[in-house]
Amino acid sequence: MDPIVLVHGGAGDIPDSRVAGKLRGSKMAAARAHRLLQAGGSALEAVEAAVVVMEEDESFNAGYGSVLNLRGEVEMEASIMRGSDLAVGAVTLVKDFKHPISIAHRVLTDSPHSLLGAEGAKIFALEKGFKTVPPESLISQNARDALNKFLEHREFGRTEIGAEHEGGVGTVGAVAIDSTGSIAVATSTGGMSGKAVGRIGDTPQIGSGTYADDGVGGVSTTGHGESILKYCLAHSIVKLMEGGLDAGTATKTAVNGMTKRLNNTAGAITLSKSGQVGVHFSSKRMSWAYIRDGKYYYGIEQGEVLSEKFE
Ligand code: GLY
């Protein structure tokens, strides 16, 4: 089958001022990973490459540009999964590395464990040759503004608050199928503005933020972390596909089901094992992009599917 990679740049009440940056960055991430797949790269390499692009871009809440905890610090999380053997790697409470997703990938390949946090993640990363960066170098002005906005209202997951400053969520993720039919998923986040120090959300928790199974498909999620993890959103979507739903219907059913049950919003991107695409979000906006048959397909508004030539 033709390789494919689908990316998202986070669900939330994204202000108009940030729409263009998120669309541009999502398309860039899809293009980087698409070229890698076309050159024979694996799905695992492709999803890491897509997420690395977005971790470098302050348009997204991951890597540089991550939102801040109550102490004004970055604490990042990431996970990655390979659908051929259900191998996983995840990190949480990462403060001073540029690319948490690359450390998560090394946990998958080089660690007997699945999820490493805080000092343990740092020790592992240093052992594997990752270089630290000053934590302040990961903080953007937008993240500072978002924390100040949060301190005015102190409510998580309320989409009607903070339209001028995307303060809550905005995780990034990618799902890919390579030319061998292997599926991989990667997800990375700074979490939520104003989160407690040491708070761990859905993103590093396999089945919540990320899931991949070559026999069914792959999913990356974004949105209100505490709701996503209670609903095991990524795994719920995979289970609905396993039960016979197509990727689009499974994604919509589970995202809307979570929102109805827990009264918070989320989004998800899904590929079925045959390459069907599912994109759905219950938040105001979520950027997403993929490339197929020489064309970009992308969007950020509800119901929007834009397309243009990919060169
Ligand atoms: N989904 C990102 C978070 O809540 O941590």
Side-chain angles (χ1 to χ4, degrees):
M1 70 174 291
D2 276 348
I4 180 168
V5 56
L6 168 64
V7 309
H8 71 76
D13 199 0
I14 296 161
D16 294 349
S17 60
R18 301 199 75 195
V19 165
K22 283 192 184 279
L23 282 176
R24 190 174 54 244
S26 300
K27 285 163 69 185
M28 272 178 57
R32 173 86 59 90
H34 177 80
R35 290 199 172 94
L36 204 153
L37 285 174
Q38 294 295 324
S42 71
L44 206 56
E45 290 165 339
V47 292
E48 180 190 354
V51 168
V52 160
V53 169
M54 293 186 279
E55 285 179 339
E56 279 169 1
D57 184 339
E58 80 159 306
S59 301
F60 302 104
N61 173 18
Y64 173 62
S66 287
V67 297
L68 308 177
N69 67 19
L70 268 180
R71 236 171 22 198
E73 300 164 337
V74 163
E75 287 186 315
M76 301 170 292
E77 315 183 279
S79 63
I80 190 165
M81 183 163 187
R82 181 170 60 203
S84 56
D85 57 357
L86 308 187
V88 298
V91 289
T92 185
L93 306 176
V94 173
K95 293 170 186 247
D96 48 4
F97 292 93
K98 270 180 87 173
H99 292 301
I101 196 61
S102 301
I103 306 172
H105 192 166
R106 288 298 287 270
V107 172
L108 184 153
T109 55
D110 291 16
S111 170
H113 307 302
S114 298
L115 170 57
L116 295 175
E119 192 191 351
K122 182 167 183 171
I123 291 168
F124 174 83
L126 291 171
E127 276 173 10
K128 300 300 169 195
F130 290 93
K131 301 272 182 274
T132 57
V133 294
E136 318 78 64
S137 69
L138 298 168
I139 298 177
S140 67
Q141 188 56 45
N142 192 72
R144 286 196 182 92
D145 292 345
L147 179 60
N148 289 335
K149 190 78 187 170
F150 170 82
L151 294 173
E152 286 169 20
H153 60 73
R154 291 181 179 263
E155 281 193 71
F156 293 111
R158 298 268 84 90
T159 56
E160 69 273 19
I161 293 170
E164 325 80 78
H165 298 276
E166 181 202 359
V169 289
T171 301
V172 305
V175 186
I177 308 179
D178 62 29
S179 56
T180 71
S182 187
I183 300 171
V185 179
T187 312
S188 180
T189 192
M192 306 165 79
S193 268
K195 64 186 181 179
V197 173
R199 176 264 190 184
I200 297 170
D202 56 304
T203 298
Q205 304 201 47
I206 297 300
S208 298
T210 293
Y211 204 78
D213 184 342
D214 279 8
V216 189
V219 180
S220 173
T221 70
T222 165
H224 184 251
E226 280 70 11
S227 301
I228 293 171
L229 68 86
K230 286 171 195 164
Y231 210 74
C232 296
L233 183 59
H235 196 248
S236 295
I237 294 169
V238 167
K239 281 285 149 193
L240 288 173
M241 285 198 290
E242 200 172 42
L245 293 191
D246 63 77
T249 309
T251 308
K252 185 172 178 181
T253 302
V255 167
N256 289 351
M258 186 214 89
T259 294
K260 188 157 184 247
R261 187 80 193 273
L262 295 165
N263 198 27
N264 275 301
T265 61
I269 56 168
T270 303
L271 289 177
S272 73
K273 67 177 179 182
S274 63
Q276 290 170 342
V277 170
V279 174
H280 188 74
F281 47 102
S282 55
S283 53
K284 181 179 168 195
R285 288 173 166 146
M286 179 183 83
S287 68
W288 57 272
Y290 67 94
I291 294 153
R292 181 171 259 165
D293 300 331
K295 278 170 104 174
Y296 273 118
Y297 294 89
Y298 61 101
I300 192 164
E301 308 289 349
Q302 287 290 348
E304 179 179 63
V305 181
L306 303 168
S307 77
E308 67 190 44
K309 199 162 182 239
F310 171 71
E311 338 229 13

